[in-house]
Amino acid sequence: MKVSLFITCLSDLVYPKVGESMVHLLAKYGVKLDFPATQTCCGQPAFNSGYWDEARGSALTLLQAFEDSDFVISPSGSCTSMIHHYYPKLFENDPINLARANRLVEKTYEFTQFLVQVLGVTDLGAVFPHKVTYHPSCHGSRLLGVKEEPMQLMQNIRDLELVPLPHAEDCCGFGGTFAVKMCDISGAMVSEKSDHVLETEAEVLVGLDMGCLMNIAGNLSYRGKPVKVMHLAELLAEGVKLAHERS
């Protein structure tokens, strides 16, 4: 099968290690990712700001980039949900591109979805001897319904102590352009989220969306709190490497 990596803007520009971790982990199961170089932003910032024509232009670029892919995998529940829920809306009056959008929807998966639902993998043999808490991002958990997959993967990591995050379902306050337009409200929300993270006394905060993780990590760093913030793909890759070193 031809599996393509949709890297997303934040992973590409700020967190490249997330994409590298996905490549290494999937190679373990014989999945070789290709990377269509013409891919660009999914169009979500423009869409959420009401610039639907601009969002449609970005979407058309992705439709073309992944036209021949059997599967498309993304490290972001937010960007994946943009494709799943709003690409059909963008092209509802364009039958040809609506059909292309629906085909992209059917083959696009968030990373943990692909591991669990397509590959049937819930245990990667990872070891991670740390106290960890998990933030479920809004788009991934609510729009995509990605809830059980990350939990299954984390519960099968040896030596990992998973601590529930109080009020985990609350938004971190990022929300893309929301953090810019409503910065005071956003700041209050991320401060509250960080308070809950600190309540757990976890060494590591893990999540599935770089926007949320960047926002929370920034607040924790500003407050001088030594909590490591990781995407689940990074944690799994580090855990697999540690398990290999111990064997």
Side-chain angles (χ1 to χ4, degrees):
M1 54 185 175
K2 183 179 178 183
V3 184
S4 297
L5 174 61
F6 169 37
I7 195 60
T8 78
C9 300
L10 278 178
S11 181
D12 183 35
L13 298 172
V14 185
Y15 297 105
K17 189 178 175 184
V18 174
E20 293 172 5
S21 298
M22 290 172 60
V23 170
H24 293 313
L25 290 169
L26 291 171
K28 181 178 166 71
Y29 298 97
V31 177
K32 185 176 181 181
L33 290 169
D34 76 337
F35 183 82
T38 56
Q39 64 179 280
T40 185
C41 176
C42 67
Q44 185 174 178
F47 182 85
N48 289 345
S49 298
Y51 297 103
W52 284 26
D53 287 339
E54 288 79 1
R56 200 172 288 113
S58 294
L60 283 169
T61 302
L62 286 196
L63 294 184
Q64 181 62 42
F66 299 119
E67 192 87 62
D68 299 324
S69 304
D70 297 323
F71 291 96
V72 178
I73 311 171
S74 169
S76 166
S78 180
C79 298
T80 303
S81 67
M82 173 66 192
I83 292 172
H84 274 245
H85 287 271
Y86 300 118
Y87 274 26
K89 181 69 175 177
L90 282 173
F91 297 108
E92 61 183 353
N93 297 317
D94 181 349
I96 293 175
N97 285 315
L98 176 59
R100 296 173 74 200
N102 286 330
R103 287 196 295 271
L104 181 58
V105 167
E106 290 170 5
K107 62 188 180 184
T108 299
Y109 289 81
E110 182 273 329
F111 172 63
T112 65
Q113 278 186 317
F114 185 78
L115 272 180
V116 176
Q117 295 180 15
V118 179
L119 297 184
V121 173
T122 57
D123 188 347
L124 288 88
V127 176
F128 196 77
H130 298 283
K131 191 174 184 179
V132 176
T133 193
Y134 170 69
H135 166 65
S137 59
C138 297
H139 284 179
S141 60
R142 295 173 188 173
L143 290 183
L144 282 183
V146 178
K147 297 179 180 179
E148 296 302 320
E149 294 89 344
M151 301 307 295
Q152 288 176 284
L153 290 164
M154 285 186 287
Q155 287 164 358
N156 284 316
I157 300 174
R158 278 68 169 169
D159 300 334
L160 183 148
E161 181 185 354
L162 185 59
V163 186
L165 178 64
H167 304 286
E169 70 282 355
D170 288 356
C171 177
C172 75
F174 181 60
T177 56
F178 172 81
V180 178
K181 295 178 178 178
M182 306 285 185
C183 57
D184 290 341
I185 299 173
S186 174
M189 292 171 74
V190 73
S191 291
E192 184 176 57
K193 175 64 69 173
S194 295
D195 288 342
H196 295 317
V197 172
L198 294 171
E199 280 179 47
T200 68
E201 299 183 344
E203 301 166 78
V204 179
L205 169 68
V206 68
L208 303 179
D209 262 293
M210 281 74 67
C212 304
L213 296 177
M214 179 178 69
N215 195 36
I216 301 169
N219 186 267
L220 289 169
S221 176
Y222 178 76
R223 294 160 72 168
K225 302 301 182 180
V227 181
K228 188 172 183 179
V229 179
M230 305 176 74
H231 189 280
L232 183 54
E234 293 177 290
L235 188 151
L236 287 167
E238 190 168 313
V240 168
K241 181 181 178 182
L242 180 58
H244 179 71
E245 290 171 353
R246 287 186 176 184
S247 63

